[in-house]
């Protein structure tokens, strides 16, 4: 069964008297373990789609099943719960909390699921080591490079073992070398069976994904399948 | 909520307050001073009112004190020529009260004369009190040695006296006063007993100064009281007093300065006042007496205290309100400064409730810490007031509980809105903030 199933998804922003459709009738189906890239020009609705997929927002119309469960009409409380349990976010600007150290940042999603302190710390330590930050546990975000910060964010996205991992231009703020490191980690996650949905402008990333969805003016313009080497 | 998530929330709160130490401290000051003023004001108010109430209570809550007062001039001149003015309480009054009002338990007539007492070459100013043996039942005197005046003294107009301990000290120094003779106005009186007046008792000339008496001796260097039988006083001291004021001479005659009436219970006090007023009103054609009811004064003092507490409470409440608004202001600033953090937490699974708890607990921590500091300071100030200002203060446990409770209430009240604002921010907007 599909992890993500979307039918006629619409999102319209109301700007005063003006109706501004950001997504129009998007249909999408994503299977467990797939690596999806979303591409398109600026303003085409990539972030809007990702926010809907991440349950940060509710569609104006249409349905969305996540892991078989209809989440398009859930209330704020349940959406929060779903975000915490089933979704891992990776942002362009990392979005770490400055006053928390690496371990504390990574275990943040666990604390909202009621995990015990010891268990959270232990798991956060494992994840930090996995993304190559085994010697940086007590560092604050500002003491880390951009690439390192993004690795913390990836570890954090994995904290609750989510069903899908969403990344909005994860390499957008990084130089090509750190960007490549991050992409390697993401590839690695894909190898381990994680479902990845990545918004990007970068054709290279598009090339790594199994499927690239091209958006234009809030519609799926075309879908590209890459049969990897 | 699990205990560890409560612990985590507190830890998180402490941490982010610590991040902004200066801001947190300044914010807290409002609460510190608010709570501090609540406690200090209540302590000072309580101290003052207890002192007044004690002074009144010593007069006896089942007593009614009838005092002689000098009638105003017009009234006095209307009856007699300016030869001799006779006014005030009389032996007849005392007799009538005894004979016509059966519910009076004790009735004690009192005569007061300013005199000097001498022993060997020492002399002190005293207030000579002519009274009867039952005086001890209506006045807070405690026998230290010997005995008080007896009915035999009274019946045979004996020249006996009972002196107060401070008079004994001044007059006899290291000698034993018992059995010695004290000379007053040319006559000798044998000392048969020594009494102590419980602090704040009556030497002072009038009842009013008794209430005001905080620092003791009001009247012209009077050291204390010397008690002699009323009959003896009547025989040996004239009731006529000549005084020269403003060029004209006036001669006055007053038989008794006071009549103290004691009833069985406090319920009878007020009815008794009416009865006494009616009775005396029939005998006296001018208003030359005044009935003082300690019980009523006690009640007035309680009312005054209540008003005092309300006024102080309002001032304190306003300062706490100001402190609370300060906290709210800072918390709103904190919330908008941390918009992005809120967005991140929401994206990572925090419910609105989690955000509310986070910010509310920060506010609560601030106000409770402020409350504790305020309590410490607030307990210190009354201590200093007592030490340097020589004013009594009483810190009641309830005022501490109240102050702490108030700071918690302020924290919750003024923390809710910022926390609510934080929780209701749109996650997507918040993530884009900055
Ligand atoms: N909160 C909003 N209110 C009104 N309009 C919005 C809002 N968010 C997005 N839009 C509009 O919706 C459209 C799609 O925006 P979106 O952010 O999804 O584009 P994008 O594809 O992510 O672009 P970019 O590549 O620049 O990030 C845009 O026209 C944008 O102006
Ligand atoms: Mg975007």
């Amino acid at each position: 069964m599909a992890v993500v199933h979307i039918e006629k998804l619409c999102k319209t922003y109301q700007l005063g008297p003006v109706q501004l459709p950001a997504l129009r009738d998007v249909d999408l189906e994503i299977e467990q373990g797939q690596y999806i890239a979303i591409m398109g020009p600026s303003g085409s609705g990539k972030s809007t789609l990702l926010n809907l997929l991440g349950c940060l927002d509710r569609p104006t119309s249409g349905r969305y099943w996540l892991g078989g469960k209809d989440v398009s009409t859930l209330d704020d409380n349940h959406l929060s719960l779903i975000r915490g349990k089933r979704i891992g976010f990776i942002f362009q600007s990392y979005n770490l909390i400055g006053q928390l150290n690496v371990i504390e940042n990574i275990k943040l999603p666990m604390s909202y699921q009621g995990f015990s302190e010891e268990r959270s710390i232990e798991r956060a330590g494992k994840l930090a080591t996995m993304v190559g930050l085994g010697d940086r546990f007590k560092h604050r975000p500002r003491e880390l490079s951009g690439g390192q910060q993004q690795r913390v964010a990836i570890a954090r996205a994995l904290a609750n073992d989510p069903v899908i991992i969403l990344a909005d231009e994860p390499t957008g703020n990084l130089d090509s070398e750190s960007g490549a490191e991050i992409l390697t980690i993401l590839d690695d996650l894909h190898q381990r069976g994680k479902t990845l949905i990545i918004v990007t402008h970068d054709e290279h990333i598009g090339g790594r994904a199994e499927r690239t969805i091209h958006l234009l003016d809030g519609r799926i313009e075309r879908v590209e399948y890459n049969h990897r080497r | 909520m699990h205990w560890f998530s409560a612990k985590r929330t507190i830890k998180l709160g402490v941490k982010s307050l610590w991040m902004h130490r200066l801001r947190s401290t300044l914010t807290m000051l409002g609460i510190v001073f608010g709570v501090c003023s609540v406690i200090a004001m209540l302590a000072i108010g309580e101290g003052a009112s207890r002192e007044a109430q004690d002074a009144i209570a010593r007069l006896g809550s089942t007593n009614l004190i009838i005092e002689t007062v000098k009638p105003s001039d017009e009234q006095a001149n209307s009856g007699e020529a300016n030869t001799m003015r006779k006014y005030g309480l009389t032996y007849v009054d005392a007799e009538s009260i005894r004979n016509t009002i059966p519910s009076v338990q004790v009735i004690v007539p009192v005569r007061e004369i300013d005199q000097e007492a001498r022993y060997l070459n020492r002399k002190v100013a005293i207030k000579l009190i002519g009274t009867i043996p039952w005086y001890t039942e209506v006045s807070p005197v405690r026998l230290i040695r010997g005995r008080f005046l007896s009915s035999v003294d009274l019946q045979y107009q004996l020249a006996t006296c009972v002196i107060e301990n401070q008079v004994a000290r001044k007059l006899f120094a290291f000698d034993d006063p018992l059995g010695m003779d004290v000379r007053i106005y040319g006559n000798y009186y044998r000392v048969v007993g020594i009494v102590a007046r419980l602090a704040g008792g009556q030497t002072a000339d009038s009842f009013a100064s008794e209430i005001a008496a905080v620092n003791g001796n009001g009247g012209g260097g009077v050291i204390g009281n010397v008690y002699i039988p009323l009959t003896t006083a009547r025989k040996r001291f004239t009731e006529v007093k000549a005084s020269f004021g403003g060029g004209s001479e006036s001669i006055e005659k007053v038989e008794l300065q006071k009549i103290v009436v004691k009833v069985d219970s406090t319920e009878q006090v007020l009815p008794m006042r009416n009865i006494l007023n009616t009775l005396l009103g029939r005998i006296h054609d001018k208003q030359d007496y005044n009935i003082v009811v300690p019980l009523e004064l006690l009640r007035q003092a309680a009312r005054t205290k209540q008003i005092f507490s309300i006024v102080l409470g309002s001032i304190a409440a306003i300062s706490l309100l100001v402190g609370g608004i300060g906290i709210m202001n800072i918390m709103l600033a904190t919330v908008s400064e941390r918009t992005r953090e809120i967005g991140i937490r929401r994206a990572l699974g925090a419910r609105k409730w989690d955000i509310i708890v986070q910010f509310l607990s920060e506010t609560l921590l601030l106000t409770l810490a402020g409350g504790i500091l305020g309590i410490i300071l607030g307990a210190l100030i009354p201590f200093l007031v007592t030490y340097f200002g020589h004013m009594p203060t009483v810190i009641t446990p309830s005022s501490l509980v109240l102050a702490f409770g108030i700071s918690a209430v302020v924290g919750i009240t003024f923390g809710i809105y910022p926390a609510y604002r934080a929780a209701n921010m749109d996650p997507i907007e918040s993530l884009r903030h900055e």
Side-chain angles (χ1 to χ4, degrees):
Chain A
M1 192 185 58
V3 171
V4 170
H5 181 84
I6 282 176
E7 271 180 27
K8 294 212 178 318
L9 205 67
C10 291
K11 182 73 192 180
T12 307
Y13 291 109
Q14 189 82 42
L15 282 178
V18 185
Q19 296 237 332
L20 206 138
L23 283 181
R24 319 175 204 218
D25 295 329
V26 173
D27 294 311
L28 187 61
E29 192 144 325
I30 299 172
E31 300 296 330
Q32 168 75 42
Q34 282 188 332
Y35 190 162
I36 309 291
I38 300 174
M39 297 189 71
S42 187
S44 56
K46 304 184 293 294
S47 297
T48 305
L49 178 58
L50 208 69
N51 289 337
L52 286 172
L53 288 172
C55 296
L56 279 168
D57 209 351
R58 263 171 296 204
T60 311
S61 65
R63 308 287 291 274
Y64 170 24
W65 287 268
L66 177 64
K69 184 180 166 73
D70 186 355
V71 296
S72 30
T73 54
L74 290 180
D75 65 12
D76 188 272
N77 239 345
H78 286 93
L79 286 182
S80 303
L81 201 72
I82 301 247
R83 285 199 296 271
K85 267 201 168 97
R86 306 204 176 187
I87 292 163
F89 284 102
I90 302 168
F91 303 95
Q92 177 173 355
S93 48
Y94 328 127
N95 277 340
L96 302 178
I97 293 178
Q99 69 202 69
L100 303 181
N101 65 29
V102 166
I103 291 297
E104 289 163 337
N105 264 294
I106 294 174
K107 73 184 175 67
L108 204 56
M110 293 186 261
S111 66
Y112 290 116
Q113 303 304 321
F115 282 93
S116 77
E117 192 76 359
E118 302 84 63
R119 237 184 102 187
S120 311
I121 289 178
E122 192 196 308
R123 180 160 165 80
K126 274 187 193 153
L127 289 167
T129 310
M130 195 191 92
V131 296
L133 292 171
D135 53 348
R136 294 279 197 280
F137 283 8
K138 296 281 172 208
H139 287 235
R140 296 288 159 98
R142 73 180 114 78
E143 298 156 5
L144 299 174
S145 73
Q148 287 169 330
Q149 289 190 50
Q150 195 61 303
R151 280 188 263 160
V152 176
I154 293 173
R156 184 179 66 185
L158 295 169
N160 284 333
D161 196 17
V163 179
I164 53 175
I165 292 172
L166 305 175
D168 198 344
E169 306 199 27
T171 58
N173 283 8
L174 298 173
D175 58 60
S176 55
E177 196 178 326
S178 323
E181 273 172 36
I182 296 301
L183 291 178
T184 313
I185 295 175
L186 292 178
D187 276 344
D188 194 43
L189 291 178
H190 176 229
Q191 295 300 323
R192 296 206 223 162
K194 291 282 170 202
T195 310
L196 297 178
I197 304 171
I198 297 178
V199 167
T200 183
H201 278 118
D202 189 341
E203 287 295 338
H204 291 291
I205 304 178
R208 291 176 185 241
E210 295 163 313
R211 183 166 22 141
T212 306
I213 293 159
H214 292 271
L215 287 183
L216 188 64
D217 289 337
R219 287 185 216 277
I220 296 182
E221 183 204 23
R222 66 192 162 91
V223 179
E224 202 180 319
Y225 293 88
N226 312 310
H227 297 289
R228 299 231 261 164
R229 59 243 119 157
Chain B
M1 225 198 297
H2 295 286
W3 68 269
F4 51 75
S5 65
K7 204 173 108 186
R8 189 148 45 197
T9 307
I10 292 167
K11 245 173 81 180
L12 183 69
V14 169
K15 200 166 179 172
S16 66
L17 292 176
W18 185 249
M19 287 275 297
H20 307 283
R21 284 179 286 277
L22 181 66
R23 179 198 283 189
S24 306
T25 313
L26 292 176
T27 310
M28 220 158 62
L29 285 183
I31 296 297
V32 171
F33 293 137
V35 167
C36 170
S37 63
V38 170
I39 290 175
M41 283 183 186
L42 288 179
I44 293 167
E46 185 73 27
S49 93
R50 273 207 199 167
E51 196 176 47
Q53 291 192 15
D54 286 352
I56 297 165
R58 273 194 298 271
L59 293 170
S61 54
T62 53
N63 287 353
L64 293 94
I65 301 164
I66 315 166
E67 302 176 316
T68 289
V69 291
K70 199 170 177 171
S72 61
D73 281 341
E74 303 159 33
Q75 264 184 313
N77 288 343
S78 65
E80 293 143 74
N82 52 356
T83 46
M84 183 166 73
R85 293 168 62 189
K86 185 171 178 298
Y87 65 88
L89 301 166
T90 63
Y91 292 93
V92 174
D93 292 337
E95 239 4 81
S96 319
I97 293 169
R98 197 198 328 276
N99 293 338
T100 53
I101 310 174
S103 54
V104 169
Q105 196 195 13
V106 184
I107 167 163
V108 178
V110 176
R111 237 189 112 182
E112 298 175 348
I113 307 156
D114 287 322
Q115 275 296 340
E116 279 175 357
R118 292 163 196 265
Y119 176 73
L120 300 179
N121 59 345
R122 293 188 276 266
K123 113 188 154 178
V124 294
I126 52 134
K127 187 170 281 284
L128 190 65
I129 305 229
T131 189
I132 62 173
W134 300 276
Y135 182 83
T136 51
E137 293 189 29
V138 297
S139 195
V141 290
R142 184 167 53 86
L143 195 64
I144 299 178
R145 296 186 57 208
R147 61 174 179 83
F148 199 72
L149 302 171
S150 70
S151 36
V152 176
D153 295 328
L154 195 68
Q155 194 180 344
Y156 296 103
Q157 306 167 8
L158 296 183
T160 50
C161 72
V162 173
I163 60 177
E164 279 183 347
N165 52 355
Q166 62 268 40
V167 175
R169 246 192 324 273
K170 269 274 161 56
L171 220 44
F172 293 92
F174 302 106
D175 297 338
D176 184 0
L178 282 191
M180 296 298 180
D181 291 327
V182 174
R183 191 154 67 92
I184 301 169
Y185 198 56
N187 291 304
Y188 287 93
Y189 297 83
R190 171 85 25 105
V191 177
V192 295
I194 302 170
V195 293
R197 190 167 9 106
L198 303 180
Q202 323 174 27
T203 351
D205 292 41
S206 76
F207 182 75
S209 59
E210 155 70 21
I211 297 168
V214 179
N215 297 337
N217 317 351
V222 169
I223 296 294
N225 295 346
V226 172
Y227 303 90
I228 62 170
L230 183 62
T231 49
T232 314
R234 192 177 191 186
K235 192 174 73 181
R236 295 191 176 176
F237 292 91
T238 175
E239 289 156 355
V240 178
K241 198 171 92 183
S243 65
F244 309 92
S248 70
E249 180 185 345
S250 74
I251 303 168
E252 303 175 343
K253 182 166 186 280
V254 176
E255 289 186 8
L256 293 171
Q257 273 68 34
K258 272 180 202 167
I259 297 174
V260 184
V261 170
K262 186 182 176 73
V263 292
D264 283 326
S265 67
T266 51
E267 286 86 68
Q268 295 175 15
V269 169
L270 293 182
M272 180 56 75
R273 181 176 58 178
N274 295 338
I275 297 171
L276 287 172
N277 256 328
T278 316
L279 178 68
L280 293 174
R282 234 181 281 143
I283 306 174
H284 292 245
D285 52 357
K286 47 197 181 218
Q287 191 60 40
D288 54 359
Y289 63 91
N290 177 36
I291 302 176
V292 176
V293 182
L295 178 72
E296 204 175 47
L297 290 170
L298 210 58
R299 288 185 181 150
Q300 270 165 12
R303 264 198 299 279
T304 309
K305 187 205 161 185
Q306 214 173 12
I307 293 167
F308 198 58
S309 301
I310 289 170
V311 171
L312 290 184
S314 323
I315 295 172
I318 289 168
S319 68
L320 275 170
L321 189 76
V322 172
I325 291 170
I327 284 200
M328 180 146 97
N329 200 3
I330 294 292
M331 286 315 288
L332 283 174
T334 303
V335 164
S336 77
E337 193 177 85
R338 288 161 67 183
T339 301
R340 197 173 179 105
E341 176 190 331
I342 294 162
I344 296 170
R345 289 178 182 274
R346 294 281 277 133
L348 299 181
R351 292 161 301 165
K352 287 185 176 179
W353 176 245
D354 294 312
I355 302 297
I356 287 180
V357 166
Q358 181 187 343
F359 282 91
L360 201 55
S361 63
E362 256 180 53
T363 316
L364 262 181
L365 277 171
L366 260 185
T367 49
L368 292 186
I372 289 170
L373 270 176
I375 284 174
I376 293 169
L377 265 182
L380 206 67
I381 286 177
F383 175 77
L384 294 177
V385 165
T386 305
Y387 190 82
F388 292 109
H390 307 290
M391 262 166 70
T393 53
V394 180
I395 299 176
T396 56
S398 65
S399 76
L400 299 186
V401 174
L402 181 78
F404 198 75
I406 287 175
S407 60
V409 168
V410 165
I412 291 174
T413 311
F414 292 98
I416 278 181
Y417 179 62
Y420 175 84
R421 274 266 288 257
N424 280 290
M425 291 196 295
D426 179 48
I428 299 172
E429 297 274 326
S430 317
L431 280 169
R432 229 189 273 145
H433 191 262
E434 230 165 12

